[in-house]
Amino acid sequence: MILAFDIIILIFMVVAAIIALNVKDLLSAAMIYGIYGFLICLLWAEMGAVDVAFTEASVGAGVSAVLFIATVYNTKRKSSD
Amino acid sequence: MTDQLPAIIVLTPMFGAILVSLLGNRDHRICFPIVLVSLLISLGASFGAAQEVFSTGAINYFMGGWEKPLGIGIQLRIDALNALVLLVIGSVSILTAFFSIRRIGEKNTEKTPQFYVLYLLLCSGLFGITIAADAFNLFVLIEVSSLTSYGLVAMGSSRRGTHAAFNYVIMGTVGASFYLIGVGYLYMKTGTLNMMDIRSILQSNVDIANSNAVTIAFLFILVGIWIKMAFFPLNGWLPNAYSYCPSSSACILAPLMTKVSVYVMLRVMISVFGLEWIFSHAQWSELVVWLAVIAILAGSIFALAQREIKKMLCYLIVAEVGYMVGGAWLADAEWWGLTGTIYHIIADAAMTLCLFLAAGIFVRRFNAVEISDLEGLFKKAPWTSVGFVIGGLAMIGVPPTCGFYSKFYLIRGGIDAGHWQFVAALLISSLVNAVLFFRIFEIAHFGNKPAEGHDHSHDANADEAPARQEAPLNALIPLLVSAAAILLIGLFNGQIVELIRVALEDFSTLALNLR
Amino acid sequence: MLSKVFATIAVVITGGLLLYGVMDFPAFGDPHSPPNAGVKGGGESISQYFITQTYRDTKVPNIVTAVLADYRGYDTMFETVVIFAAGMAIFAILRVVGDNNDPTKKELSSDDALSQKGDHNRIIIGTTCRIIIPIVQLFGLYVVAHGHHSPGGGFQGGVLLGSSFILLALSQNLNAALRRFSEKNYFTLAATGILIYAGFGVACQILEKNFLDYGVLQKVLFTDGPEMARSHSMLGVEVGVAFTVTAIMFSIYANLSSRGTLKDGL
Amino acid sequence: MVEFFEQHFNFWIYVILMMIGLWAVIAKNNLIKKLIGLSIFQTAIILFYVSLGVKENSTIPILDHHAPAAEVSADPHHNDEPSETGNHGELHPKAGHENDHHADAHVGAHAVEPDTMANPLPHVLMLTAIVVGVATLGVALALAQLIYKEFGTLEENEVLEIIKGGEAND
């Protein structure tokens, strides 16, 4: 575990979370959520939780983002907030 | 064979669900027998387990045989407290299964197998929650029952139901996550997930028991469970979710979900933290009784304001949850409040089942959604009315029914503990229930419209014609059985309370000072 | 606006309480904190038991897999059940059953730039995916089978396999994926997965041990010693998990992308 | 205070992420945004759990069962550790005891020092939680699509207005 690496990813994660929630375009929000998932997966690999990282990479960054995109595509892309 | 009972209770409904999903699509008629058989096996196993527990003591079951050191595997435990809850779950689920036959046949026929799969998995989850003795396993099973209940609630066709189900998903997930946070804090301080293990560490190690983290853990677990059981300020999801979902879903969810959540709260209070710890560390326990008082009053007042039968019943559930939370937190010297709460779990399951079955019949048979639609019900369907009246009387708390006795024990606890506001709230709530139900009885007997006198001549010469509107047998029998259960639970309250006292005595060696 | 004020208050209170609890925690990364080393006066530390004894008990080097599939196998079974229930719930909620004449035809609004139909059959995407999908599937199978020795296992492999079908549906269209993996098939596969998992458990019960006590299966699996029986059973169980997860991941995508009609898709 | 902040940096970030997620769940108007918030809330909890199991200078919880015995115990960091804490000393006899069980060639590799490996239990728990999370997300997204189909919007205030309008018409 490298502390600097840890802190940098954590700060990136907070930034990604805030952006994902504040973007008005839902497709972008879903993509940024995918980025968030990938960052958290990196963090876990770095913390020694390889299995969790693997799952998060496939579930959080992969399938979840695809499900969000599928829903956004089938509904509306613009959000009021 | 008897040592395998805990596994059989939980797993049979799950196997039933798999069978239904494999075979059900080909022929829908095969679904119901599978459901019935698997639930009957579970109920039978629960009976066997209960007998075993009351004759020889608690049954411990270690999944995968990982027994030592404690906590490496997952423990299941049936003791006197949850044996009673198991029986309640088994009986309610079988009765509701009968009720659900026709309904699914009429609408959404294509989704019948999916309904039963979710139904059985819900039962499996509830059984599992009841006998789990591992804090994280409890979370997984809460999620099993929650996810299936989201599906069951959303199966209805009304627009408002969809929105209610969405809110339910959000609230339910937040509640489960709060529980998970609490378990995490507890794990951080104790290093184990097994409930018995946590308990013994909290008892033996004063430093840990006094730490902020454990208090916070308790708070978050409690709030998480309160969200699940719709305790008053957190009840936003319940009324809409239960009143706009299909009747058969409402009949399984309303009696069981909140009661099992109350049971989980008791389990966490009694055998994870220990009552001793709670009432010496949580100075805010008085506050919880006040919250319960507010919940009871708010539930009753909201119920008065409703025009729809099911919504009114939903707000009554909110009030009943207030009873149970308040009773558990009374902390009177002889634990009558706690006894009343456990008795009320059983009694309220029967009462809620009875009333929701009746409401389901009203919707299905008479298309009666609002209270004013019930006009002339007593003549049209005398047997349905019998069930409904017994349910209503139990809700009010008229003596031979179980509703009276649970209130009696709760009030006794309130008086012992000196919480007069709780006693007053119980009495006011009874009064409100009396107003509510006698209003309905009046409408059902005399009708409420000014045109009633005009219609009366029709009724007089067509006396037997409305009699044909009696509910179908598959709905009527569960209703009458649950009504009979209300009376029986009331008549045998002495024996049941005796069992509950025995159950509490089990924990008394460590934390309770009964007598 | 009011809801935002309320939310801010609620969230600040929650966060404050959580931090108040954190103040008691041992420092981050402390190897002797209670989760890592147990508490004084308590029993043996669970985590240390897992690290030191897992290989002796199960002959599986990946401790996470061993704990997941054996020590806490009951949790994992119900986790699979959760996935299965989610698939069923989504079917119950969204699926438009019967031969409908598609009343949910999309309204192509101006901001729906995504829904340009022509995108799907582009030659580059099609060709790339045709090459990549078998590799993804092969990797998924490897992850399932090699979960004992390296990171991975039933969930990860199942999600990979499921996402290979999702990729097929994305690169061509949903029907192409459904031709290979129809609705009936994936629900059967999902149920079979749980049946395999629970079957291993019940087999142990038949041999008069507790549910999921794989050690006793050595009589059936002809392994030398209960440890290898555990190891092999874990593989079987992971395969069951992978079945269910593969099937349900694809079914969730198929239903969500086509609004429950299982036509067109994205 | 600074020390507290430094030592619990991960926990601070977990609380912040949790607050962001929960705030979005309560306050955001768009249903998809609520769900993104919910997912962030759940990952924050997972971050908390994984942080519980981290040990300094530890490796991943997979035993290197093909490695020669010397490699694991040759790590110089651990030679001076038993003197640091009393709790530690108790573990050595157990590790030695385990050696007796195994007379095979890789014996050193599994007589592993617990402090050299991350705690596997939180990882196992969180695998479960991640999967539960995606299952919930799927159900919630299906409901969101159904709401869009029936109300034509994903904004909560508009949905509530339509419901209120429908009630007034009754």
Side-chain angles (χ1 to χ4, degrees), chain D residues 12-113:
Chain D
W12 277 88
I13 296 290
Y14 128 72
V15 173
I16 290 170
L17 280 175
M18 201 221 68
M19 285 165 72
I20 292 172
L22 192 60
W23 189 83
V25 170
I26 303 173
K28 285 283 177 190
N29 198 21
N30 187 288
L31 301 182
I32 304 286
K33 283 285 175 73
K34 271 179 192 274
L35 292 179
I36 293 179
L38 195 67
S39 300
I40 290 173
F41 179 54
Q42 286 176 329
T43 44
I45 295 170
I46 299 169
L47 171 61
F48 164 61
Y49 266 81
V50 174
S51 304
L52 294 183
V54 173
K55 297 173 189 168
E56 260 165 25
N57 301 313
S58 63
T59 174
I60 56 173
I62 297 176
L63 298 163
D64 190 4
H65 66 301
H66 294 302
E71 236 172 64
V72 176
S73 49
D75 193 347
H77 175 73
H78 301 101
N79 293 340
D80 50 5
E81 260 197 10
S83 57
E84 283 169 16
T85 53
N87 192 7
H88 206 77
E90 295 165 14
L91 292 163
H92 279 290
K94 195 176 68 202
H97 169 72
E98 196 217 356
N99 277 346
D100 302 337
H101 273 270
H102 290 275
D104 57 295
H106 317 302
V107 78
H110 356 120
V112 54
E113 183 62 47

Side-chain angles (χ1 to χ4, degrees), chain A residues 1 3 6 27 47 50-51 54-55 58-59 63 66-67 69-71 73-75 77-78 81, chain C residues 28 62 64 106 111 114-115 139 143 151-152 156 159-160 166 249 252-253 256-259 266:
Chain A
M1 203 192 77
L3 197 66
D6 191 55
L27 186 68
M47 284 162 101
V50 270
D51 280 85
F54 199 163
T55 318
S58 53
V59 171
V63 173
V66 171
L67 296 184
I69 290 170
T71 307
Y73 175 79
N74 274 335
T75 55
R77 204 172 148 180
K78 284 272 184 294
D81 58 2
Chain C
F28 173 65
N62 184 351
V64 174
K106 304 190 191 61
D111 58 30
L114 270 177
S115 50
F139 182 58
V143 168
Q156 294 91 331
V159 173
L160 281 172
I166 294 177
M249 284 299 152
I252 293 177
Y253 170 79
L256 283 181
S257 69
S258 64
R259 304 180 180 193
L266 284 186

Side-chain angles (χ1 to χ4, degrees), chain D residues 148-161:
Chain D
Y148 186 77
K149 195 163 130 191
E150 283 167 2
F151 294 91
T153 176
L154 280 177
E155 307 292 321
E156 181 148 50
N157 56 357
E158 292 173 20
V159 171
L160 289 175
E161 260 167 39

Side-chain angles (χ1 to χ4, degrees), chain B residues 169-238:
Chain B
V169 173
I170 299 274
M171 291 291 275
T173 312
V174 170
S177 303
F178 270 43
Y179 175 82
L180 194 59
I181 292 177
V183 172
Y185 273 57
L186 212 50
Y187 177 59
M188 185 56 165
K189 291 312 281 185
T190 60
T192 176
L193 292 166
N194 186 293
M195 290 183 182
M196 319 289 143
D197 212 10
I198 294 175
R199 173 93 191 281
S200 66
I201 288 174
L202 285 183
Q203 262 170 352
S204 59
N205 195 323
V206 185
D207 279 351
I208 292 175
N210 288 336
S211 65
N212 303 335
V214 174
T215 314
I216 297 295
F218 181 59
L219 197 64
F220 271 81
I221 291 178
L222 206 60
V223 172
I225 301 168
W226 280 350
I227 292 177
K228 283 278 174 200
M229 74 169 82
F231 189 51
F232 169 61
L234 310 168
N235 70 338
W237 57 269
L238 185 137

